Amino acid sequence: MEECRLCPRRCGANRVGGEAGFCGAASEIRIARAALHFWEEPCISGREGSGTVFFSGCALRCVYCQNHAISHENFGKPVSCEELANLFLSLERQGANNINLVTPDHFIPDLVPVMRAARGRGLSVPFVVNCSGYETAGLISRLDGLADIYLTDFKYMDPEKAAKYSGAGDYPERAKESLEEMHRQVPEAVFDSRGIMKKGIIVRHLLLPGMVREAEKIISYVFDAYGDSVFLSLLRQYTPFKRASERFPELGRRVTKREYERMVDFAIGLGVNNAFLQEAGTADASFVPDWDMGA
Ligand code: SF4
């Protein structure tokens, strides 16, 4: 990574030399939090919790990000590969149903040997790769045989919206390519007797205010391409923050009940069977975890 081209930003940072790229990452792996997390989809968290590890930095950096401190400000602390493998094993000992790697994309080359090492030391729960959808297919291919579950966002179908809110006009094309590679690796969902996912793909779409039509295009695309082999997770938890609404006033409100219901009705009308819906009352800053791994 002397001239990093790992993600679609292809910013060319000399990460080996300690230069941070657009994503905020340099040579060390940094994490902001590692803990059991109970608010993922039910088949991911279960009653025991998902062993989430939040990585610092992000290659997408949406203006409305709810995890701004880690995605934009690179909050977190460095961890060695051995410490990280120990963390995975510790989360499994605490009862985690899986090891949930949140926004790990910019660290994948270093994470691959850590994932293998943890498996070699007896880790038996699935690895969940929880990502933004803004990855190259080549990067996702490095996880072939290691990632059991992909929990991926699909944020935009309109390049103009992707450029406006995430500075990534190529997001729709990258998200399609990335999902295709994920599906090549994990074509079918598998659950255990408790309903906990062991393998599969969940595509999340966070409905933004005033953007039901955008949501419908995404749902149509995913369902037309993959049918019920890919689960949809339709999120209503968008929380307006001042830093986004000052620049884009249309982002300054929550999603209405009517908007969310229109999105859900559209999915049902299309014939979608495998979808997770989100209860009202989840659009609150209190649902943002406490980042507890400051340097
Ligand atoms: S992963 Fe980070 S450093 Fe590498 S190209 Fe992407 S933004 Fe730049």
Side-chain angles (χ1 to χ4, degrees):
M1 292 192 278
E2 284 177 1
E3 204 175 305
C4 187
R5 303 259 185 261
L6 212 55
C7 81
R9 297 282 182 199
R10 299 174 61 79
C11 75
N14 178 3
R15 291 175 55 178
V16 179
E19 184 188 354
F22 178 93
C23 60
S27 55
E28 297 167 311
I29 298 179
R30 292 171 65 88
I31 63 170
R33 180 176 167 85
L36 293 177
H37 189 55
F38 298 91
W39 297 282
E40 304 286 28
E41 286 74 1
C43 66
I44 299 293
S45 286
R47 291 161 58 137
E48 299 79 8
S50 174
T52 45
V53 180
F54 289 86
F55 291 87
S56 307
C58 179
L60 191 55
R61 297 172 62 171
C62 307
V63 66
Y64 50 82
C65 181
Q66 296 175 43
N67 297 338
H68 193 273
I70 59 170
S71 61
H72 290 62
E73 296 162 22
N74 208 28
F75 180 88
K77 73 168 191 184
V79 281
S80 70
C81 292
E82 190 178 351
E83 285 170 329
L84 197 52
N86 289 343
L87 264 177
F88 295 167
L89 290 157
S90 160
L91 286 165
E92 182 176 40
R93 281 196 300 276
Q94 291 170 49
N97 280 314
N98 42 60
I99 303 300
N100 186 347
L101 309 173
V102 185
T103 323
D105 348 347
H106 40 292
F107 297 118
I108 283 175
D110 290 331
L111 271 176
V112 163
V114 179
M115 293 162 83
R116 285 211 180 99
R119 279 271 177 263
R121 289 170 58 190
L123 185 88
S124 64
V125 292
F127 277 116
V128 180
V129 175
N130 186 332
C131 52
S132 70
Y134 193 52
E135 305 92 28
T136 65
L139 183 60
I140 296 299
S141 72
R142 298 190 189 203
L143 294 167
D144 194 0
L146 278 171
D148 301 288
I149 297 167
Y150 285 104
L151 188 49
T152 181
D153 293 338
F154 204 129
K155 291 173 182 290
Y156 313 100
M157 195 55 89
D158 176 359
E160 280 182 27
K161 288 191 174 59
K164 187 174 178 186
Y165 301 127
S166 298
D170 60 341
Y171 179 93
E173 290 315 305
R174 299 293 84 75
K176 287 178 194 170
E177 289 166 11
S178 174
L179 182 56
E180 189 178 349
E181 171 58 21
M182 293 172 188
H183 196 260
R184 186 192 68 75
Q185 295 175 24
V186 191
E188 297 294 339
V190 177
F191 295 86
D192 70 9
S193 57
R194 301 170 302 146
I196 299 297
M197 187 177 258
K198 292 296 184 185
K199 285 196 174 291
I201 300 175
I202 300 174
V203 171
R204 285 175 166 171
H205 178 66
L206 174 69
L207 179 61
L208 296 175
M211 294 191 212
V212 175
R213 184 68 199 116
E214 186 72 352
E216 290 174 354
K217 288 186 209 163
I218 290 164
I219 293 166
S220 287
Y221 174 79
V222 174
F223 190 63
D224 286 351
Y226 303 106
D228 278 323
S229 67
V230 164
F231 282 64
L232 286 165
S233 180
L234 304 178
L235 304 177
R236 72 195 308 168
Q237 70 188 47
Y238 172 75
T239 307
F241 288 103
K242 202 170 154 200
R243 58 185 166 259
S245 51
E246 275 178 351
R247 285 179 62 197
F248 303 107
E250 69 274 21
L251 295 179
R253 66 167 175 87
R254 291 178 184 176
V255 165
T256 65
K257 182 170 179 278
R258 171 87 187 109
E259 285 174 319
Y260 187 71
E261 286 174 354
R262 274 176 55 208
M263 173 171 73
V264 171
D265 287 347
F266 178 84
I268 293 169
L270 211 57
V272 171
N273 289 308
N274 291 338
F276 296 98
L277 309 182
Q278 200 170 34
E279 289 172 12
T282 46
D284 193 301
S286 63
F287 280 86
V288 177
D290 289 330
W291 312 118
D292 55 5
M293 286 211 177

